[in-house]
Amino acid sequence: MEEILNSISSAGIKTAPEKQADITALPSYKGNFGFYHVKGEDWETVIIKGVFKDNLRNIKGKCMIPDRKMNELAQMLSDVERCLRKPASVQVCFDDDSFFVCAAEEGSYTKLAYDSRDFTIRFPLTPVEESLGRSSSISEKYLFARSPFASMFGEILSPYAYSLFEAMPDVFSPLFMSADIKTHSPSVKTIFGRVLMNSKNIETIMSAFYTKPDFFYLNYLPSIYKSIKKPVMEVPKISVLKLAEDELKNTIDDIDRVTDSLDEAALFNNEFLEVPMLGVMAWEIAVAGMWHAFTGFAKATGLGHEDAMRHIYKTRKGGLLRYEGEIMPRLDPAFEPVRLEPVELAAEDADGFYGSLSSIKRLMLSKVKYTALLEQTHKALDDADRVYLSLSGLASKIRSVLLTTADRLVEDRMLTDRNDIFLLEHKEIQNLINDSFYGNITFTLNFRRWQGSRFASVCLPAYLYEKDVENYKEIAEKQMSKSLNEKIIPCMAFFHKDTETVNFACRYGFSIADVKEAVKADIVVAESASVFSYIAQYCATTDKPLYTGARFAPLLLRDKKLKTGTDSLTIV
């Protein structure tokens, strides 16, 4: 403790180990390092880190210390954390109109979590930060959705990954521009550490494909899908994209070549941003292929989406569910690779499924044609798997290169922890390497960590119109309050079974690495799970009930008992 106090004192911070502390300052509130939790004898206050205006939130009793002086305490606590480069629990004495550190104990930061939302923290952002989410240059009528990215990224992105999306807001344009399909700008919106898709583009693209966006709503916005009286699953005419037969293969090969040769010089070359854009294009081509094959199979067989999923997934012999090896659980370099073990699944014979079709349908659809459509759909799924493996390899290599760079920066005493590199933006790291970073590194890292932690606690609705961005908190609270008061979570069921259980797997979105959580569960609950998601593939193959579109389910259903329904979950 004496050594810590000496370090604090040498940084110009007042210390007085001989004094009696009357204030305890913890480096986090409810485990979130974006706040200080300050306690007096009969009061408690939360201080929002890194800002010094509208930053105090009283949570118990009344603090008699003026706000002006409390901001001095906030500054002192920030200085202590910057000095130690670690979070610290601090005992403070307020004496003679000044604050003194009497004692301090170092702690450690937690790593980036997949989902750190906390609706009990009712004040995660300042009004200024909330206003920054709204853009006057974007049409108020644009609807932005988070769901399409649920299984690929965490609930929140690392600052590094976030900066890549910020640098390419029209990431969806290149593929469609080549087919003379004009998309709306921006393709994606970045807000509070999340990336959201501009769904207006889906309407435009589906119109060019001579179909409706209903299948998109089924996959990513089920609450909107359920409001459509007569949804259609027409086959999109993706031939308008004018893709060469080996377009996807060549794109994947290009990404893999970049991955194999990627080093620090290549990563921070000004042309590198073309690579993630290439990855997005590969993903778009793969999704278009799956969409075309799935709806084509469903239309030809006359099956609804659930039965089509059973036919397709139960007869599939390959796929990432059976993959064994290292893989990125999220396509964010801040996450560590994991070892993926194959899920035990038995592939069924297609003959039995063909035989389950009605006799009239079998007269109209030959077994040869049925098998060909099934194989075409399996191939589209295989293509999507190859894209994920390719992007996983790229994300893993970026991580490796960044950590190698970070090790050198740690040696140069520019970073304390190698993982801090993911708190920096792509351009900032480039500037550090080129010795042209003119800011305060410690301040930047701390503020990015603090604000990122607070962003992570934000409960953002699944989709928002641009005009409603500033009201996100009220919208989310209204949705959660309604569900809690009525004890009903609206959702859409796949493979429904009537049951009551406390044994369920529940996530915002399930990545390929999360599927194992469903193996021993009675049911699976997700805020977003498309028919192509790996969790949907697993549930279709095993007849495991899957309930998707369950807004804020991981927050509302913790330690609860559920009763399942065809369009809702009831808390019992």
Side-chain angles (χ1 to χ4, degrees):
M1 172 148 3
E2 183 178 347
E3 184 179 343
I4 296 174
L5 287 178
N6 287 337
S7 296
I8 293 172
S9 179
S10 64
I13 303 167
K14 295 178 181 178
T15 59
E18 73 283 357
K19 291 181 180 288
Q20 180 67 40
D22 51 12
I23 297 172
T24 298
L26 303 176
S28 65
Y29 175 62
K30 295 189 175 183
N32 189 300
F33 287 95
F35 312 90
Y36 293 112
H37 186 185
V38 182
K39 302 179 181 181
E41 184 177 353
D42 54 4
W43 58 268
E44 294 183 30
T45 293
V46 169
I47 299 176
I48 298 177
K49 292 185 183 181
V51 295
F52 301 97
K53 184 179 180 181
D54 194 24
N55 61 333
L56 306 175
R57 303 290 186 270
N58 188 61
I59 57 175
K60 179 183 176 182
K62 182 172 177 57
C63 176
M64 302 308 294
I65 302 173
D67 287 357
R68 175 179 59 82
K69 299 303 294 184
M70 287 296 287
N71 265 318
E72 291 180 14
L73 175 61
Q75 182 66 63
M76 186 183 78
L77 294 174
S78 297
D79 290 342
V80 168
E81 195 163 341
R82 277 195 286 269
C83 165
L84 299 177
R85 296 195 174 191
K86 291 181 180 179
S89 298
V90 182
Q91 298 296 317
V92 178
C93 170
F94 183 55
D95 186 37
D96 195 25
D97 210 36
S98 295
F99 292 101
F100 300 86
V101 176
C102 304
E105 182 180 351
E106 291 181 344
S108 58
Y109 296 111
T110 54
K111 290 184 178 181
L112 178 68
Y114 165 72
D115 188 351
S116 298
R117 290 173 296 172
D118 189 341
F119 67 90
T120 67
I121 300 178
R122 305 180 66 83
F123 40 78
L125 306 180
T126 65
V128 172
E129 288 174 319
E130 290 179 342
S131 68
L132 293 176
R134 178 82 167 83
S135 174
S136 59
S137 63
I138 299 176
S139 170
E140 290 188 346
K141 296 181 180 179
Y142 283 175
L143 180 66
F144 290 93
R146 295 192 300 134
S147 306
F149 306 103
S151 62
M152 292 186 289
F153 301 104
E155 213 281 327
I156 188 170
L157 295 170
S158 68
Y160 178 79
Y162 191 70
S163 71
L164 294 181
F165 274 103
E166 284 192 311
M168 45 185 191
D170 293 317
V171 68
F172 293 144
S173 296
L175 175 65
F176 299 104
M177 284 178 61
S178 64
D180 297 324
I181 300 173
K182 181 175 175 56
T183 55
H184 301 269
S185 181
S187 302
V188 294
K189 178 183 178 70
T190 49
I191 173 175
F192 309 148
R194 282 92 171 162
V195 58
L196 296 82
M197 178 187 291
N198 186 349
S199 63
K200 185 67 175 176
N201 281 326
I202 302 302
E203 297 176 17
T204 301
I205 294 165
M206 288 305 103
S207 176
F209 284 175
Y210 299 94
T211 186
K212 294 182 177 181
D214 297 5
F215 193 65
F216 174 84
Y217 296 145
L218 167 69
N219 281 285
Y220 302 116
L221 297 173
S223 59
I224 294 179
Y225 178 81
K226 287 164 63 177
S227 69
I228 302 172
K229 291 184 178 180
K230 292 183 179 180
V232 297
M233 272 206 302
E234 290 295 329
V235 184
K237 291 180 169 49
I238 62 173
S239 57
V240 300
L241 293 176
K242 303 172 185 176
L243 297 173
E245 185 176 346
D246 54 358
E247 186 89 38
L248 183 57
K249 178 183 179 302
N250 290 341
T251 303
I252 294 172
D253 288 344
D254 287 344
I255 296 170
D256 291 344
R257 275 192 291 271
V258 170
T259 300
D260 290 341
S261 61
L262 192 67
D263 57 14
E264 186 181 281
L267 180 59
F268 295 104
N269 184 294
N270 290 332
E271 297 179 354
F272 173 75
L273 285 179
E274 295 177 6
V275 180
M277 291 189 76
L278 195 64
V280 172
M281 189 169 75
W283 175 69
E284 289 172 332
I285 295 172
V287 170
M290 289 190 295
W291 194 323
H292 181 268
F294 184 95
T295 52
F297 178 82
K299 184 175 182 179
T301 55
L303 298 172
H305 57 266
E306 279 192 52
D307 284 331
M309 291 167 72
R310 288 190 176 97
H311 281 238
I312 292 166
Y313 295 133
K314 283 178 177 286
T315 58
R316 192 179 180 210
K317 293 181 174 62
L320 277 188
L321 291 177
R322 297 174 173 86
Y323 178 79
E324 182 176 6
E326 191 175 88
I327 199 168
M328 291 292 283
R330 318 280 169 203
L331 299 179
D332 183 333
F335 286 90
E336 295 181 11
V338 298
R339 176 76 183 177
L340 199 64
E341 299 294 335
V343 179
E344 292 186 12
L345 297 171
E348 299 183 29
D349 189 79
D351 291 351
F353 283 95
Y354 177 75
S356 69
L357 298 176
S358 67
S359 55
I360 294 177
K361 183 58 65 177
R362 292 198 304 273
L363 286 172
M364 298 172 61
L365 180 69
S366 70
K367 185 177 176 181
V368 171
K369 179 64 173 176
Y370 170 88
T371 303
L373 288 169
L374 200 58
E375 290 175 350
Q376 180 183 345
T377 310
H378 289 166
K379 180 185 180 301
L381 292 166
D382 291 342
D383 287 343
D385 286 347
R386 281 193 283 272
V387 171
Y388 190 90
L389 285 174
S390 180
L391 296 181
S392 172
L394 176 63
S396 180
K397 188 64 174 289
I398 292 173
R399 175 182 173 81
S400 176
V401 173
L402 286 175
L403 288 176
T404 299
T405 300
D407 288 338
R408 191 176 73 252
L409 295 174
V410 169
E411 288 180 10
D412 295 340
R413 303 181 67 82
M414 300 175 81
L415 297 180
T416 303
D417 186 313
R418 67 197 304 244
N419 286 298
D420 284 352
I421 196 144
F422 301 112
L423 294 171
L424 296 171
E425 297 178 356
H426 186 83
K427 186 66 175 178
E428 289 171 336
I429 302 171
Q430 188 177 38
N431 289 340
L432 274 176
I433 293 169
N434 296 331
D435 199 26
S436 57
F437 185 93
Y438 300 115
N440 184 305
I441 297 174
T442 303
F443 178 85
T444 299
L445 290 173
N446 275 339
F447 184 76
R448 202 65 56 69
R449 180 184 287 110
W450 297 338
Q451 189 179 63
S453 295
R454 291 187 288 109
F455 279 169
S457 71
V458 167
C459 297
L460 197 68
Y463 56 88
L464 278 171
Y465 285 97
E466 177 64 22
K467 64 182 178 64
D468 294 326
V469 167
E470 287 180 271
N471 301 317
Y472 81 90
K473 187 162 51 178
E474 290 78 8
I475 295 171
E477 286 179 351
K478 185 177 180 181
Q479 291 174 351
M480 286 187 281
S481 295
K482 179 177 173 62
S483 294
L484 287 173
N485 292 336
E486 298 178 359
K487 296 187 180 301
I488 293 177
I489 313 292
C491 62
M492 186 164 62
F494 292 155
F495 325 117
H496 166 71
K497 292 177 185 175
D498 289 325
T499 188
E500 289 189 15
T501 183
V502 295
N503 179 27
F504 56 90
C506 183
R507 277 187 176 267
Y508 166 61
F510 285 79
S511 76
I512 181 64
D514 300 325
V515 172
K516 61 181 183 293
E517 297 175 10
V519 174
K520 294 184 179 180
D522 294 330
I523 65 172
V524 177
V525 182
E527 291 187 61
S528 177
S530 77
V531 299
F532 304 129
S533 65
Y534 293 113
I535 192 64
Q537 294 182 34
Y538 173 78
C539 289
T541 306
T542 60
D543 292 312
K544 183 90 66 173
L546 169 62
Y547 301 88
T548 182
R551 294 183 296 206
F552 302 112
L555 307 181
L556 303 178
L557 302 183
R558 196 173 296 145
D559 302 321
K560 297 291 193 297
K561 183 177 183 180
L562 301 181
K563 180 180 180 181
T564 61
T566 55
D567 62 357
S568 66
L569 295 166
T570 303
I571 301 172
V572 295

